[in-house]
Amino acid sequence: MKTLEALIFDVDGTLAETERDGHRVAFNQAFQEFDLPWHWPVGLYGQLLRVAGGKERIRYYMDRYQPKFQLQADTDELVVALHQAKARHFQALVESNVIPLRPGVRRLIEAARKEGVRLAIATTSAKDSVIPLLEHLLGPESPTWFEVIAAGDMVPTKKPAPDIYNLVVNAMDLNPATCLVIEDSPQGLEAAIAAGLPTVVTVNDYTRSYALPGARLVISHLGEPSLPFEVLWGKANNAYYFSLDLAQAILPS
């Protein structure tokens, strides 16, 4: 049996509930800042999440929903400026404590550190959004717990392409079969599987109804001893919260 070597975490929707009440709100605040008559309600944002990456999401929205919008500035410049403003608003939301860690995240990371299981992050978000989030939710030293923090702008193609996961595997010289990815979305799952990485999906309100083929296990969240997870697909070996033992058990034989 292979021994678990590393845990690789997605961030948005996986480590923390950032999407609906974090990034979505920050995008809307950025639109207001630029006096744009745009608004992303909860339902629409769920559709936009199928596009990976914040700048890519803005471009898609402009093409799909605002085709007659008359730009007074270069499109690329506007997208970059909006995304920078959104990052500022997102950091303010993080600091206001409206974005919680998901159940079981801190417990699992602390267990991995104690047992010498290596840690990494693979996200489509920009690094300048990820670092403050980690520092605020897990502690000022927490970014140093992860050997690699691979962010979206570090690779040519974002999820569902496998680039970000290939970057982590190569940078850490990992055997993909001895790693486990924790994801929350079909795009993230597809990216991890394409990189040869076994994957557990912890769904959220936006991804709970999606088909998630190829996941080793699909659960509602990582769970706590006092807050059991719900198994949506796969076998949890009678466990009711996600542990290193369960991670080891569901690695490919």
Side-chain angles (χ1 to χ4, degrees):
M1 180 179 291
K2 299 179 178 68
T3 300
L4 179 67
E5 184 179 4
L7 292 175
I8 307 172
F9 289 89
D10 173 52
V11 175
D12 292 312
T14 300
L15 288 184
E17 296 284 9
T18 56
E19 294 292 11
R20 186 186 66 184
D21 299 325
H23 289 295
R24 183 187 68 86
V25 173
F27 275 118
N28 287 332
Q29 290 173 335
F31 300 152
Q32 289 181 329
E33 181 180 328
F34 279 71
D35 294 322
L36 292 169
W38 302 348
H39 179 75
W40 291 357
V42 171
L44 174 60
Y45 193 66
Q47 299 297 314
L48 295 174
L49 282 175
R50 297 177 182 179
V51 179
K55 291 187 288 290
E56 292 81 358
R57 204 166 293 148
I58 296 170
R59 289 191 182 98
Y60 174 82
Y61 173 78
M62 290 168 63
D63 292 340
R64 175 69 176 81
Y65 295 97
Q66 301 293 339
K68 296 181 180 180
F69 180 67
Q70 298 298 314
L71 294 174
Q72 298 178 356
D74 179 81
T75 299
D76 291 339
E77 291 180 359
L78 177 62
V79 168
V80 170
L82 281 170
H83 194 257
Q84 289 172 342
K86 173 258 177 185
R88 294 196 308 272
H89 290 298
F90 179 77
Q91 184 168 348
L93 290 168
V94 169
E95 293 171 355
S96 66
N97 295 311
V98 299
I99 301 172
L101 278 174
R102 296 197 68 192
V105 168
R106 182 183 297 276
R107 173 187 53 75
L108 183 60
I109 289 174
E110 290 177 349
R113 296 184 67 217
K114 181 178 179 180
E115 297 299 323
V117 176
R118 301 164 73 186
L119 295 169
I121 281 174
T123 177
T124 57
S125 288
K127 203 166 185 176
D128 59 2
S129 292
V130 174
I131 298 298
L133 182 70
L134 293 175
E135 292 174 340
H136 191 78
L137 295 180
L138 289 170
E141 301 299 319
S142 62
T144 66
W145 302 348
F146 300 89
E147 289 185 40
V148 173
I149 297 178
D153 292 341
M154 297 168 65
V155 292
T157 311
K158 296 182 179 181
K159 302 173 187 178
D163 301 30
I164 198 78
Y165 283 110
N166 288 334
L167 186 157
V168 171
V169 168
N170 292 333
M172 296 174 64
D173 193 23
L174 295 168
N175 174 1
T178 64
C179 307
L180 193 68
V181 169
I182 313 294
E183 267 284 358
D184 76 304
S185 71
Q187 297 91 334
L189 173 62
E190 183 178 341
I193 290 175
L197 292 159
T199 306
V200 171
V201 178
T202 58
V203 299
N204 55 49
D205 289 344
Y206 281 126
T207 63
R208 188 180 181 94
S209 62
Y210 288 170
L212 298 161
R216 305 292 294 182
L217 181 66
V218 180
I219 51 182
S220 55
H221 48 70
L222 293 174
E224 298 283 8
S226 60
L227 182 64
F229 57 48
E230 177 186 358
V231 177
L232 304 178
W233 187 89
K235 296 181 180 179
N237 297 348
N238 296 318
Y240 57 92
Y241 63 93
F242 199 85
S243 65
L244 294 179
D245 287 342
L246 180 54
Q248 175 68 58
I250 64 178
L251 285 180
S253 57

